[in-house]
Amino acid sequence: IKATLDEYVIGQEYAKKVMSVAVYNHYKRVATDTMDEIAIEKSNMLMIGPTGCGKTYLVKTLAKLLDVPLAIADATSLTEAGYIGDDIESVVSKLLAAADNDVEKAEHGIIFIDEIDKIAKKKNTNQRDVSGEAVQQGMLKLLEGADVEVPIGANSKNAMVPLTTVNTRNILFICGGAFPDLENIIKERLNKQASIGFYADLKDKYDDDPHILEKVTVEDLRSFGMIPEFIGRLPIIFTMNGLTEDM
């Protein structure tokens, strides 16, 4: 898988390796259909990378190579059920449309949710956070595997549209986001031990570090505003580098 990705995508060695292994393990589970004997949770991924480093492109290439239905959704338009905006289930109905309304085929697809950093918790609000934390809460069951009722051939549920049930247990979710200002959170954590003296760590030690994002931990994502349960369902977290002149 990685060799084929190499033909399309420049650089990003680490990200490509991680994705290839995760996708391979995922489809090994799906194809052998030994879901009941082997208890491996599915390898949903979270990709973090600066804007324009090819997150969407990597996923598109992957789906083309695997020949599975792919739905690319945007987390910015998602809201809690009952509010104006896209329901969380609309992500699955996009996948169903991409699979030509074939439920069997859709259940083995990939869903790429872009701009995932836009549904972080809003800091200090007192009104309802319908596009932030509420969306993360609503996606918990979806990421893990649940039976979702989706409308066929439309993107909103109403009385006129027939519904069908899609099980998301074998759908691979890949979430991507640029997470602006995440570097500052990481720097803050790394600079905790700044002290006075000859051997002290300098405050600006990490300022020019181009690979600062690679030091990301789950703790940093939490302070960014993702809820712990949500991060817990994306076991594979990896970062991508911004494009350099050589690339």
Side-chain angles (χ1 to χ4, degrees):
I1 295 174
K2 181 177 176 300
T4 319
L5 283 177
D6 280 341
E7 291 173 20
Y8 294 93
V9 183
I10 298 284
Q12 315 294 7
E13 290 302 307
Y14 178 66
K16 284 189 288 199
K17 278 180 193 165
V18 174
M19 276 184 103
S20 308
V21 173
V23 165
Y24 172 72
N25 280 340
H26 174 73
Y27 280 107
K28 192 164 65 176
R29 266 176 59 246
V30 174
T32 50
D33 209 34
T34 50
M35 284 291 295
D36 311 316
E37 302 154 37
I38 307 173
I40 314 176
E41 282 304 298
K42 61 174 186 223
S43 40
N44 294 332
M45 302 178 235
L46 174 62
M47 40 187 354
I48 301 170
T51 174
C53 64
K55 295 185 286 288
T56 316
Y57 181 62
L58 200 53
V59 180
K60 273 185 183 160
T61 313
L62 196 63
K64 194 166 70 180
L65 176 160
L66 293 166
D67 192 32
V68 293
L70 165 76
I72 296 181
D74 219 338
T76 29
S77 58
L78 296 179
T79 54
E80 199 182 344
Y83 286 85
I84 294 181
D86 284 346
D87 236 7
I88 291 148
E89 276 112 49
S90 72
V91 190
V92 184
S93 66
K94 268 190 188 159
L95 184 67
L96 195 61
D100 305 321
N101 295 331
D102 176 356
V103 176
E104 187 65 30
K105 200 172 155 191
E107 285 182 348
H108 294 167
I110 297 178
I111 293 180
F112 177 54
I113 305 177
D114 207 0
E115 309 288 351
I116 202 77
D117 48 320
K118 306 298 181 282
I119 59 168
K121 269 196 290 210
K122 307 272 184 293
K123 304 275 189 298
N124 53 41
T125 67
N126 26 22
Q127 62 263 49
R128 297 199 60 176
D129 190 4
V130 290
S131 67
E133 188 183 355
V135 178
Q136 293 185 51
Q137 310 263 10
M139 283 171 73
L140 295 180
K141 270 282 151 282
L142 202 66
L143 292 170
E144 199 173 24
D147 289 323
V148 186
E149 294 217 317
V150 251
I152 302 179
N155 49 11
S156 61
K157 291 184 187 176
N158 56 40
M160 301 303 177
V161 181
L163 292 174
T164 180
T165 307
V166 177
N167 189 333
T168 63
R169 195 170 64 152
N170 285 342
I171 297 177
L172 184 63
F173 285 89
I174 304 176
C175 299
F179 290 91
D181 296 340
L182 186 61
E183 296 99 328
N184 299 341
I185 296 176
I186 301 174
K187 274 181 208 160
E188 223 165 89
R189 177 176 54 84
L190 293 174
N191 271 331
K192 276 276 164 32
Q193 69 278 16
S195 54
I196 296 175
F198 289 114
Y199 295 109
D201 273 350
L202 295 177
K203 271 279 192 227
D204 56 1
K205 179 173 157 192
Y206 297 105
D207 278 4
D208 306 323
D209 189 355
H211 301 303
I212 183 84
L213 265 183
E214 289 170 16
K215 300 185 169 65
V216 71
T217 60
V218 175
E219 211 44 54
D220 298 327
L221 291 171
R222 246 189 75 185
S223 23
F224 185 85
M226 310 309 274
I227 59 175
E229 305 92 307
F230 182 77
I231 311 172
R233 285 173 174 76
L234 299 166
I236 296 172
I237 299 176
F238 59 94
T239 56
M240 292 174 72
N241 308 324
L243 296 184
T244 61
E245 229 168 301
D246 295 347
M247 287 182 184

